[in-house]
Amino acid sequence: MNASGAHTGTGSWLIQRATAGVLALVLPGLLVYFLIALPVDFAGWRVLFAPLWLRVSMLLAGLALALHAWIGMRDIFMDYVRPVGLRLALYLAVIGTLAATLVWLAAVLWGVA
Amino acid sequence: MKFRLYRFHPESGEKPFMQDIELDIEPAGKMLLDALLAIKAQDETLSLRRSCREGVCGSDAVNVNGKNRLACITPLSELKQPIEVRPLPGLPVIRDLIVDMEPFYKQYRSIKPYLINDAPEPEVERLQSPADRALLDGAYECILCGCCTTACPSFWWNPDTFVGPAGLLQAYRFIADSRDEATAERLDNLEDPYRLYRCRGIMNCVDACPKGLNPTEAIGRIKSLLVKRRV
């Protein structure tokens, strides 16, 4: 079977590259931000997460991570999981987990405000 | 010198095995192929491919001490003993060191490795500027020995769908050719999740190529062209 012609490879590859770039910038930045003022109590954590820009950028970083992980996991399943039904089930499990984690992240970030 | 050779004779009904061989040979100035031919002179059942014996035909690619190389240009003196010689990995073994290259050739054929130009033929050759010709350097020298593609884990997992480094290097060779008119179709042919994008940049191909070529770089250039076309 010739599987060519799907015309989807470049988009996925670009998204994975772009999200890798975003994560390479954001993760060290966040790490430095947290390390500079490492809070010891709940009030400290609330102060740290108070700025809107921080919550937005954390959510965007979470989104980038989810997209990056989705394409990476999809690639692994494409290599190792050949039965179509099982592969589809794993795809849905990964998408569900990532989407739920993102929603949870948003809930956590805005829950304390 | 001590050798360990992969032996497999399908008609014997036996499983493949490693054969230890001691050969009286002076390594200075000699290549691995010389030793293999000397062993074959003692035991004519040993099967291997070879032709030009100078690294041009690409038929004696084998796995030597874990690395894919051409036996004819691999100096005996630089090999650690026992010298372990196996057939190329990732392809079906026909006999001893001979593999079935068909999966490799099938991918090579799939990229249409010939000039496509429907314009009327000119009186003289189809000329190129020196700059256009220079784009083919590092791509046209491939001898299709298969060292790179059979060293590629992505090809091991997906030999039916991933073109592999040798095929992709040749795809780039025709995409980059100013005389070729089928660039768009060639890019279409590679744009799906498998044919090109199974390359994860492992770069075993670069390490293995006996001609010092860089398929990973060519793959990167194809990706750049696909991205340029899209954005």
Side-chain angles (χ1 to χ4, degrees):
Chain A
M1 186 188 75
N2 182 5
S4 70
H7 294 282
T8 56
T10 307
S12 322
W13 180 75
L14 256 185
I15 289 171
Q16 203 174 33
R17 273 296 167 100
T19 51
V22 168
L23 292 171
L25 287 175
V26 172
L27 290 182
L30 284 174
L31 191 68
V32 169
Y33 179 81
F34 287 132
L35 284 182
I36 283 175
L38 200 62
V40 287
D41 54 6
F42 183 64
W45 278 105
R46 286 189 61 166
V47 171
L48 205 63
F49 280 88
L52 185 64
W53 67 263
L54 180 82
R55 275 182 275 164
V56 170
S57 59
M58 274 204 77
L59 194 60
L60 285 177
L63 182 68
L65 184 63
L67 283 170
H68 193 82
W70 155 238
I71 295 166
M73 292 306 290
R74 190 200 65 156
D75 278 344
I76 294 171
F77 294 149
M78 280 165 76
D79 277 345
Y80 296 103
V81 185
R82 296 305 166 101
V84 175
L86 180 61
R87 192 192 283 182
L88 193 62
L90 286 169
Y91 282 5
L92 291 174
V94 168
I95 291 174
T97 308
L98 291 172
T101 311
L102 264 187
V103 173
W104 187 22
L105 175 66
V108 169
L109 286 171
W110 270 269
V112 291
Chain B
M1 295 187 86
K2 287 192 177 70
F3 292 83
R4 291 199 82 201
L5 302 185
Y6 178 98
R7 303 299 305 267
F8 174 54
H9 288 181
E11 71 277 7
S12 72
E14 282 175 42
K15 285 185 175 169
F17 62 97
M18 298 303 290
Q19 183 183 21
D20 288 300
I21 293 168
E22 186 99 39
L23 180 72
D24 186 21
I25 187 169
E26 171 54 48
K30 294 215 173 65
M31 300 293 171
L32 175 61
L33 181 63
D34 297 317
L36 291 176
L37 291 177
I39 293 170
K40 187 173 170 65
Q42 295 173 5
D43 173 7
E44 62 180 12
T45 65
L46 175 67
S47 303
L48 67 146
R49 289 197 183 103
R50 82 279 182 277
S51 178
C52 77
R53 54 99 190 103
E54 57 184 3
V56 175
C57 73
S59 49
D60 67 347
V62 284
N63 187 278
V64 188
N65 288 348
K67 190 182 169 186
N68 294 347
R69 326 181 55 158
L70 297 177
C72 56
I73 54 170
T74 299
L76 271 179
S77 55
E78 69 176 45
L79 293 173
K80 223 179 114 206
Q81 295 187 51
I83 300 167
E84 200 168 289
V85 186
R86 293 168 181 268
L88 288 177
L91 292 174
V93 178
I94 295 174
R95 189 183 182 87
D96 292 342
L97 303 176
I98 297 177
V99 292
D100 179 5
M101 297 284 281
E102 185 52 27
F104 173 82
Y105 290 137
K106 190 171 163 244
Q107 292 298 348
Y108 176 57
R109 278 197 298 272
S110 79
I111 59 100
K112 300 193 174 163
Y114 41 83
L115 201 70
I116 299 175
N117 187 330
D118 292 333
E121 271 184 46
E123 289 281 325
V124 292
E125 299 92 335
R126 296 187 200 274
L127 297 175
Q128 284 189 297
S129 70
D132 282 340
R133 169 61 187 77
L135 291 175
L136 307 183
D137 286 337
Y140 79 91
E141 299 94 329
C142 174
I143 58 174
L144 297 175
C145 62
C147 280
C148 60
T149 295
T150 58
C152 175
S154 289
F155 185 76
W156 297 339
W157 301 161
N158 296 290
D160 48 343
T161 46
F162 176 53
V163 174
L168 289 170
L169 180 66
Q170 286 315 293
Y172 177 71
R173 180 247 171 277
F174 287 98
I175 287 168
D177 196 315
S178 63
R179 299 162 296 182
D180 191 272
E181 290 182 331
T183 307
E185 293 98 278
R186 291 184 188 282
L187 291 177
D188 282 344
N189 179 261
L190 294 175
E191 187 169 17
D192 87 333
Y194 283 99
R195 287 176 58 72
L196 171 73
Y197 288 102
R198 282 296 98 185
C199 169
R200 314 306 306 177
I202 298 163
M203 296 184 82
N204 275 9
C205 51
V206 182
D207 183 49
C209 180
K211 308 301 277 184
L213 306 179
N214 190 333
T216 308
E217 190 190 352
I219 291 167
R221 288 179 184 210
I222 298 173
K223 282 177 180 167
S224 301
L225 288 169
L226 283 165
V227 170
K228 262 186 211 152
R229 189 167 80 150
R230 167 172 289 231
V231 297

